Amino acid sequence: MDDLLQEFIAETRETLEAISGEIIGWEAAPDDRARLDAIFRFVHTIKGSCGFLDLPRLTRLSHAAEDALSAVRDGRRAPDARLVTAILAIIDRIGEVVEAIDAGAALDDSGEDMLIAALDGAPPPGLIAIVDAADVVAPDHNAPAFRAAKRTVRLSVDLLDDMMSGVSDMVLARNQLARGLREQGDPRLEAMLERLTMTVDNLRDTVTRTRMQRIEMLFAPLPRLVRDVAAVVGKQVSLTIEGGDVELDREMIELLRDPLVHLVRNAIDHGIETMEARHAAGKPSAGVLKVSARQAGNLILIEIADDGAGIDTDRLVAKIGREQPHRQRQLAQLSDHDRAALVFEPGLSSRDEATSVSGRGVGMDVVKANVEQTGGRIQLLNRPGQGLTVSLEVPLTLAILNAVMVNAAGSRFALSRQVVEEIVAVDQSQVRVDRFGSSAMVVVRGQRLPLVNLERLLGRPESERLRLLAVVSVRAGRYALALDDVTDTQELVVKPAAPAVMRVGIFAGQMLPDDGQPLLLLDVAGIAERAGLSFEAVSEKAVEATAVEPVRALLFDDVDGVRRMIPADAVDRIERVGTTHVNLAAGTLWLTSDGRSVPVYDGAGAHRAEDVTTVLRLQLDDRELAYPVRTAIEIVPLPDELTPADAGAASGVALVDGRPVELLDPLRLLEAMGAAVGGERPLCLLHGGEGPWMEVFLRPTIEAAGYRAVRQLAPGEQARVALAMADDADPPVGTVIRLGRARGEGVYRYDRAALVAALQEMRA
Amino acid sequence: MSGESLHLVAHVGGCGVLIETARVDSVVDVDVLVPVPGTAPAVLGLAAMRSRVATVIDARRVLGLAPGAAPAPGPNARTRAVVTAVDGHLYAIAVDTLEDVARFEIEPMPAGLSAMSQVARGVAEGEGETLLALDLDRLIAAIDGPVNAKLTPGDANTSAPTNG
């Protein structure tokens, strides 16, 4: 709270300085609407901020001034000199109170009533002059003494930007230097460069952090604000906050502070109903307000969701229709969504009376303007009678993103690592692309996904071959993006690109990777939009179904011809295997894949390598199993009705399409194989002083050959085979493969094929 | 338009143009261009200016001059460009040649050339030719095509009600 107060003081001081010109200008020309608006916004902001900082005196002063200014804005009152003087006196007073708060000094509040009364124009002008003299002149002498030492420094963003780009220049220069030095190969210079690299990296982090702040800063005052506002309007509200650890540009946080406060106030004052109304509607007496933040790709998404009455669009339309009769026809044609969006129109309040809480319609249009100033968007999800969700989507202006660098449509682009669920290498025979007019879909791991091809999207000739698919997630769904290649990942700073580039709609910003070639960040949401993908219907269903999210199961035909299923989450992937990758060792089939051996389940009758063509790769923690199947059919929701059964690896039987189907229990499968994995895998002892080297270089090869590599035998363990260097003077007993340091003596230590052959010979 | 001010004299598609030196960040030779698919043809691509990224603009396209032999984006096409910042974004405006820096007095655009005044502040007398003084802000705003045709049908729909 202390930090917030400090910030409020610094901010008010700054605005006061900035606005002093406006005030003087307004005094000279009271009809100047722009100046009036600026002053009005100032007092309105003060009122908003001090409401939740619990500064009742400032609230009272600013509220009074706002009332008077509002009357002038509405044309109910002429801005005569007396009013101007009274407003100025109040603004001066606000400045004094702020300085007093900062210095922790007491400030006599006498005269404030008179200041406020002066606004109504009631007292004779003479009195105003007296008040002026007493309250403005006297504290002026004291003001410098009140100022306490500031604990923070406020820097211009330009200065920080200069620092950022300076550091980025340094990183690029460092990279060039590194390339140059590598050619020279001087280890001493390289060590120095290493130190430079560390320093530069630290500096880059620090400089970036100067502009980043956790969104917690923005959320911290909310509990208090909610409590106070709810107390004023006599409602019960329970607040939940999520995602406070999302990091955001400080500048952005400043810009979002006011909109967020407005939205929360609105939600409590206008959205959530009175307790009686809630009871009548069958809702719990306490309203629920949920404020959350999360990073979705290149956006920060802030949602303010209440379970109140939502926006009464009929009343809204009726009100605007009354005030602006010429729009009746246009209003009548609006969709529900557009009708709700009418709340963003300037000068509108759905309440007819202004309250001390939410004000008078300066709300939503200002909120929208503020959010759009950040380059963001504001969206409403209005569910009449059930609540309103306001989403603020603000761009990551200065985020460091973990970027996946990809090639697509003949150019290099970046994807945010966060939106990429997986990258699937396409096996031509396994992936089928179905086209329906302009849209296409692809089946990835039993799931049909829309397929988006950048070349097609950009109206270029499409390449025939599909090499890689990136499964990317957007807010409401997932789709597959065709890629040519994935080259690298890097942590990169994202900056907004020029408007001409952003207008294409598929880019989220630009980056400069270490090689100094600009890189465009793809906006996966924009791509989905441009490709005409719509997840709306799907997402709404998902919202309703969240409570009873069904477990999904993969349906397949087993090697013995029986149709079975297994919980889909247990299946890491479905893999087609060549028979050469399956070997029999120690009575168990082993699948060699990515340099490791995985046991193959044989309970359903796969005893020969030829039986294994397609496997389900199961993975739980670090235990792995390959389950051979004939064909994988599809993913189905697991039926609610499950008859327990206890036969083999099955844990139950359920009806799928009218047929009873066994449901396999992945834990039992792994358990059944557990003994085989631990006990029957023969040991390979890495003997002698070269053990560590062997472990590093040969272990993958040894394990791929079906052994477990150890450097020391536990008591009672016996090695099937031992590896020792050919020149080892103290070879172990038993079967030994001698490794030579050069070709010709024993098995040459870098001859992988020979080593595998020797190991397999020993195992047979 | 009072008094003279310093301008760069450049040629674009055979036409002489003036660019206020006060707005010029630097003059560079762009050698590597990263294409931006899907943009207006006037956007040649992106180029790195040390640690910053500039959007390279083909001035000929924006001015509606003969595209001529457009520089092929690629490692060998060196394009001379004038770097400027507009609304916080860095742009490199590609020109054919860059000749001189001199003081010029800018005169108003002759009447009847409204199309040109969309991107120019006025004209000045050069050596045997009339030089067009570019308005960089409007030049950048005109990237997507003629300025007066900028409202898309969609924009027109949404903006009409609020004006009413």
Side-chain angles (χ1 to χ4, degrees), chain A residues 15-96:
Chain A
T15 336
L16 267 176
E17 274 165 28
I19 209 166
S20 58
E22 303 284 342
I23 295 175
I24 293 161
W26 190 48
E27 199 172 18
D31 291 317
D32 189 337
R33 178 72 187 206
R35 293 219 161 92
L36 174 64
D37 284 350
I39 300 167
F40 179 75
R41 273 197 299 277
F42 169 72
V43 289
H44 184 78
T45 307
I46 299 266
K47 188 190 90 171
S49 305
C50 48
F52 72 85
L53 285 168
D54 197 18
L55 303 167
R57 274 172 73 188
L58 286 178
T59 314
R60 202 166 137 249
L61 286 168
S62 49
H63 190 66
E66 193 197 5
D67 270 334
L69 287 168
S70 174
V72 176
R73 269 160 55 107
D74 294 352
R76 283 184 277 122
R77 195 166 168 185
D80 55 356
R82 218 164 49 181
L83 177 71
V84 174
T85 314
I87 296 275
L88 293 186
I90 288 203
I91 289 175
D92 283 346
R93 186 71 179 178
I94 289 173
E96 289 153 26

Side-chain angles (χ1 to χ4, degrees), chain A residues 165 169 330 497-499 503-504 516-517, chain B residues 32 37 39 48 51 55 89 91 144 161:
Chain A
S165 63
D169 276 345
Q330 174 236 336
R503 265 197 290 275
V504 181
Q517 295 290 313
Chain B
V32 183
T39 41
S51 68
T55 309
H89 295 286
Y91 293 91
D144 283 340

Side-chain angles (χ1 to χ4, degrees), chain A residues 165 168-169 172 326 330 458 460 497-500 503-504 507 510 512 516-518, chain B residues 32 34 36-39 43 46-48 50-51 53 55 89 91 143-144 161 164:
Chain A
S165 63
S168 306
D169 276 345
L172 288 179
H326 60 281
Q330 174 236 336
L458 296 167
R460 296 182 177 181
R503 265 197 290 275
V504 181
F507 305 119
Q510 59 196 15
L512 196 60
Q517 295 290 313
Chain B
V32 183
V34 173
V36 184
T39 41
V43 177
L46 302 181
R50 294 204 300 161
S51 68
V53 177
T55 309
H89 295 286
Y91 293 91
I143 288 172
D144 283 340

Side-chain angles (χ1 to χ4, degrees), chain A residues 163-211:
Chain A
M163 249 159 87
M164 271 301 265
S165 63
V167 170
S168 306
D169 276 345
M170 207 149 93
V171 171
L172 288 179
R174 190 265 328 259
N175 294 339
Q176 276 175 353
L177 188 65
R179 264 199 293 277
L181 285 181
R182 218 169 290 137
E183 284 162 18
Q184 304 224 331
D186 182 339
R188 223 165 40 104
L189 284 179
E190 275 183 22
M192 290 186 216
L193 181 70
E194 190 65 19
R195 248 182 57 206
L196 178 68
T197 299
M198 266 171 56
T199 321
V200 170
D201 286 349
N202 276 339
L203 187 60
R204 179 160 71 164
D205 280 358
T206 317
V207 171
T208 309
R209 266 213 316 277
T210 57
R211 286 204 51 179

